[in-house]
Amino acid sequence: MKIYITREDGKQHKIHKIEEGCWINLCSPNKSEIEAISKMCQIEEADIMLGIDEEEKAHIAVEDNYTIIVVDVPIKDSEGLHEFITIPLEIILTDTFIMTVCIYPIDLLQDFIEGRVKSFYTYKRTRFILQLLYKNSSYFLHYLRYIDRVSNKVERELETNMKNKDLLYLLELEKSLVYFSTALRANEIVLEKMLRMDKIKQYQEDKELLEDVIVENKQAMEMASVYSSILGETRDAFASVISNNLNTIMQRLTSITIILALPTMIFSLFGMNVPLPFINQPNAIIYILIISIIFVIIGFVIMIKKKMF
C-alpha cells in the first residue's frame, strides 16, 4: 500500500498514514494486507479483492459508505502468450479518500504518481476518477495504433517471405484486438452509468470531461473494430495465398513427374525380352534416346498449353 496526497505546491507527496483527500494505491496486496486495509478504511475485504481478480468484469456498485468502479485497462502481456491483454482496475470512492486496486503495476497509475498528468489533485476525487478513465482510453488508442503499425510491418515481411511465425503473430494481434473490443464495450456500459450518476455530474467541468471520456472510448471501440476486421481479412488473405502457392507447387511437381515418366516407360518397353524395333541396330540406344526426348518435348509442350507450369 502506498499513499499519496497533493500538497499546496501542487505536487504529489508520499505519506505514511491516511489523510483526507489522499489517494491509496494498492498493487497486488496479499491476504493479510487486505485484512489490515479493510479494518483501517472500513471497506469489505471482498470488495477490495475485486481489483485483484483477473476475471472481474467492469461494473459499478454503490455501497453505503463508498462507491466501487471497476474498469478494464490494457497492458502488454509479460508472459508472452499474447501481445496485449486487459486486466481490471478497481477504483473505490469514499467521502475521505480514493483507493485504486490492481493486480499488476501499470503505466496508467505510474503516470499519475510521477506527475505526468496535468491538473491532477488527489483531493479532487471525482475529477481524479475521470482523469483515470480518460487516460485509460488514451492507452487503448495508443496500443491500437501500435498494433496497426506492427501488423503493417508483418504484412510487408509476409509479402517477401511467408513464414508461419508471422501468420501466428498476426493471430496473436487479432486476439489482442478481441480483448480490447470486449473491454471497451464493458467500459462503455460503466461510463453510461456514470453519466446518470448525480455525484459525477456535480460540476460542469466534470460533466464535460466525462463526455470527453465517452467520446474517446467510442473512438477506441471503432478503431479496435476496424483494425480487427482488417487484420482478420489480411490473415485470411495470406493464408489463401499460402494455400494457393502450395497447390501451384504440387501441380508443377505432378507435371514434372508425368514428363519424367515418359522416358521411363520407353526404356522399360525396350528392356523387355521380346522382339522389338532396332533390336539388331548398333545405334539402338541413340534412337531410343531420340524417341524419349521427342516424347518429353511433346509432353512439355502439352503441359505448357494446359498451363501446368
Side-chain angles (χ1 to χ4, degrees):
M1 178 177 71
K2 295 182 180 180
I3 308 173
Y4 303 92
I5 193 168
T6 304
R7 298 298 188 187
E8 290 79 5
D9 57 3
K11 297 181 179 179
Q12 277 58 252
H13 296 268
K14 190 175 180 181
I15 57 178
H16 301 287
K17 64 178 181 177
I18 298 175
E19 299 180 15
E20 184 173 357
C22 70
W23 165 31
I24 304 172
N25 182 33
L26 304 180
C27 181
S28 189
N30 57 37
K31 186 171 180 59
S32 60
E33 290 172 336
I34 292 175
E35 291 176 356
I37 294 166
S38 175
K39 293 178 182 178
M40 186 188 308
C41 302
Q42 299 299 310
I43 298 174
E44 294 290 334
E45 291 182 23
D47 292 335
I48 298 175
M49 293 179 67
L50 294 176
I52 59 174
D53 182 5
E54 293 189 27
E55 303 300 324
E56 188 65 32
K57 303 300 181 183
H59 67 277
I60 291 182
V62 179
E63 304 296 338
D64 294 335
N65 301 320
Y66 51 88
T67 301
I68 298 173
I69 302 173
V70 180
V71 294
D72 290 320
V73 298
I75 62 169
K76 195 170 179 64
D77 188 9
S78 59
E79 297 180 0
L81 298 177
H82 305 290
E83 185 70 18
F84 294 99
I85 58 174
T86 58
I87 59 173
L89 170 65
E90 180 183 17
I91 305 169
I92 300 177
L93 176 65
T94 70
D95 294 332
T96 306
F97 59 83
I98 187 171
M99 180 187 296
T100 56
V101 187
C102 196
I103 191 170
Y104 301 122
I106 55 176
D107 295 336
L108 171 62
L109 296 179
Q110 200 64 29
D111 288 343
F112 288 88
I113 293 172
E114 297 178 0
R116 290 197 290 266
V117 179
K118 295 181 180 180
S119 303
F120 162 56
Y121 307 98
T122 58
Y123 53 82
K124 292 185 177 181
R125 296 183 292 277
T126 303
R127 170 63 65 88
F128 181 21
I129 293 174
L130 297 176
Q131 287 175 319
L132 272 172
L133 296 177
Y134 187 86
K135 194 70 176 177
N136 185 42
S137 298
S138 299
Y139 266 102
F140 271 109
L141 290 170
H142 171 71
Y143 288 143
L144 285 168
R145 295 188 186 98
Y146 171 82
I147 290 174
D148 184 48
R149 291 195 303 270
V150 172
S151 61
N152 289 334
K153 181 180 178 181
V154 174
E155 288 171 20
R156 288 193 295 269
E157 292 177 356
L158 283 170
E159 289 174 359
T160 56
N161 186 15
M162 291 193 182
K163 297 180 181 178
N164 288 337
K165 68 174 184 178
D166 291 330
L167 283 174
L168 292 174
Y169 187 64
L170 286 180
L171 178 61
E172 295 304 325
L173 291 178
E174 194 174 353
K175 287 181 179 179
S176 298
L177 291 174
V178 172
Y179 296 146
F180 280 11
S181 297
T182 304
L184 288 166
R185 281 195 295 270
N187 289 351
E188 184 183 33
I189 296 173
V190 171
L191 294 173
E192 289 176 352
K193 288 182 178 179
M194 291 179 65
L195 192 61
R196 296 191 293 268
M197 294 173 64
D198 294 333
K199 190 172 186 179
I200 300 297
K201 298 187 295 182
Q202 188 173 0
Y203 302 101
Q204 182 63 27
E205 292 181 356
D206 292 343
K207 182 179 179 181
E208 292 175 356
L209 182 55
L210 177 56
E211 291 173 352
D212 291 340
V213 175
I214 293 174
V215 171
E216 197 84 354
N217 191 78
K218 287 184 180 294
Q219 183 181 353
M221 286 179 60
E222 292 174 0
M223 287 180 62
S225 177
V226 171
Y227 289 163
S228 181
S229 299
I230 293 174
L231 204 56
E233 292 174 1
T234 301
R235 183 175 54 81
D236 292 341
F238 278 114
S240 299
V241 170
I242 291 175
S243 178
N244 185 62
N245 290 342
L246 179 60
N247 292 336
T248 302
I249 291 172
M250 294 301 297
Q251 186 180 31
R252 289 177 179 175
L253 288 175
T254 303
S255 302
I256 293 171
T257 303
I258 293 172
I259 291 174
L260 292 178
L262 295 175
T264 302
M265 288 189 298
I266 294 172
F267 279 100
S268 299
L269 178 64
F270 280 94
M272 298 190 334
N273 191 18
V274 294
L276 293 168
F278 315 122
I279 193 170
N280 296 320
Q281 295 289 332
N283 297 325
I285 184 63
I286 297 175
Y287 301 149
I288 296 172
L289 287 173
I290 291 172
I291 294 172
S292 300
I293 292 172
I294 292 171
F295 273 94
V296 168
I297 293 173
I298 293 172
F300 189 71
V301 171
I302 293 174
M303 293 298 177
I304 290 178
K305 289 184 177 180
K306 295 289 186 180
K307 297 182 179 180
M308 300 290 286
F309 280 105

